[in-house]
Every structure is written in structure tokens, then in C-alpha cells.
Amino acid sequence: MSSPLSVAEQTLDLARRMARSGVVPAPGQTLNEAVALLAAARNAAYAEAARGRLGSGVSMLLRALNSQPMSHELQADMAALLLSAGEYAHAVRYARDALSLRPQHGPSLYALGFALSGLGEAAEAATVLRRASRGKARQSLEAEAPELLPLIRAELARIQRLTRQRTTR
């Protein structure tokens, strides 16, 4: 039978869980409550976007980011919604912010790569998309959004065709 955790061990455990999630509970709130509220905000934002109300979804995420600015999940979600809205420059910013918190986050690399491609930055986009399809980033994609892997392969092939066309002219 294990002994109960000391206060110091409990504090260290809480700090580790907060660092992993990027979520900081408000005063009087448990970490689990903060994580649940964050999940509800993310789900509501995606529901709004699915109804064709991207602006409303983005607004929800912005409000959530005001209370949880270190959440890589919120940063990644914002990048994804902005990418889907064709707001490539803004999507790049949020994807990079997410990657500064979790450098091997596959969906953030996907959003960054496609946003860069949308901005005409084909070489950098290809580099980012190749990074997304390897190692820990690929594992992250496979776990969170495996449907994005074929899209990455297709975009890399498209960029390669464009590059070949430019060099043969």
C-alpha cells in the first residue's frame, strides 16, 4: 500500500500536470475543472464553425485564450479555424505560438504548413509539412488527426510539381 502524497509531492504533481496541459486553474478552481471548461470552450467553438459561423468560433477561442494563454490546444485550434477561413497570416501566427509550446504537435505543423502554402511560401511549407510527417510529429498526427496525413502527402506532391514546373521554365 502506498503512503499518501506529501503537500510538496502534491504541489509538484499539480505543477507537472499544469505544464503538460498549459492550463492554469483560476483561484478556487481545480485543474480538472479548468481542463473541463477549456474542453467545453473548444467544443463550442468547433460547433459554431461547423454551423458556418467561423467568426463566432474564433471569438469563443479568443475569449478562452484570454484566460488560458499558455494552452497549446487553444493556439492550435485557433490556427485551424483561421486556416479554414483563409486567414493564412493569422493562422501562421497561432500555429507558431502553439509550436513554441509543443514543437512536435502534428496538427499545429499541419496548420502552419498549409497556411504557409496558402501565402505562397512553398519551400518553407514543404519543410514544415515534411517535419509533420516524421517522428514524434507524425505520432501526434496519427493520435489526434490521422485523416490529415494523406492531405500532407498530397500537398507535398503538389508543391514538388510546382517547383519542378518553375525550374523547367
Side-chain angles (χ1 to χ4, degrees), residues 55 57-67 74 78 93-94:
V58 167
S59 292
M60 290 177 154
L61 289 178
L62 280 172
R63 283 193 302 277
L65 273 167
N66 284 332
S67 67
L74 285 174
M78 184 66 84
R93 180 192 152 232
Y94 281 99

Side-chain angles (χ1 to χ4, degrees), residues 7-168:
V7 172
E9 291 169 324
Q10 290 174 359
T11 302
L12 184 58
D13 180 58
L14 176 62
R16 284 185 182 134
R17 289 188 299 137
M18 285 170 44
R20 243 189 330 268
S21 68
V23 175
V24 179
Q29 186 180 51
T30 69
L31 180 60
N32 288 341
E33 290 169 335
V35 168
L37 284 172
L38 180 65
R42 293 175 67 214
N43 289 337
Y46 273 104
E48 285 297 296
R51 290 184 192 103
R53 298 190 293 251
L54 275 172
S56 180
V58 167
S59 292
M60 290 177 154
L61 289 178
L62 280 172
R63 283 193 302 277
L65 273 167
N66 284 332
S67 67
Q68 298 295 335
M70 297 304 293
S71 169
H72 83 277
E73 292 172 333
L74 285 174
Q75 301 283 357
D77 289 347
M78 184 66 84
L81 285 185
L82 291 167
L83 175 66
S84 69
E87 295 290 336
Y88 303 130
H90 294 294
V92 164
R93 180 192 152 232
Y94 281 99
R96 285 190 170 138
D97 287 350
L99 290 165
S100 74
L101 299 168
R102 273 196 55 208
Q104 297 300 321
H105 187 239
S108 296
L109 287 164
Y110 168 89
L112 177 59
F114 273 82
L116 288 167
S117 185
L119 291 171
E121 303 291 335
E124 188 178 359
T127 299
V128 169
L129 292 172
R130 279 192 293 275
R131 188 172 143 209
S133 62
R134 295 185 182 128
K136 289 184 180 182
R138 181 186 180 95
Q139 290 171 354
S140 170
L141 267 174
E142 288 171 343
E144 295 181 51
E147 69 278 6
L148 299 179
L149 286 166
L151 300 175
I152 288 173
R153 283 192 294 276
E155 183 63 6
L156 283 168
R158 187 189 76 78
I159 290 171
Q160 188 175 39
R161 281 191 307 275
L162 284 174
T163 304
R164 260 189 266 141
Q165 287 173 355
R166 287 184 187 145
T167 58
T168 59

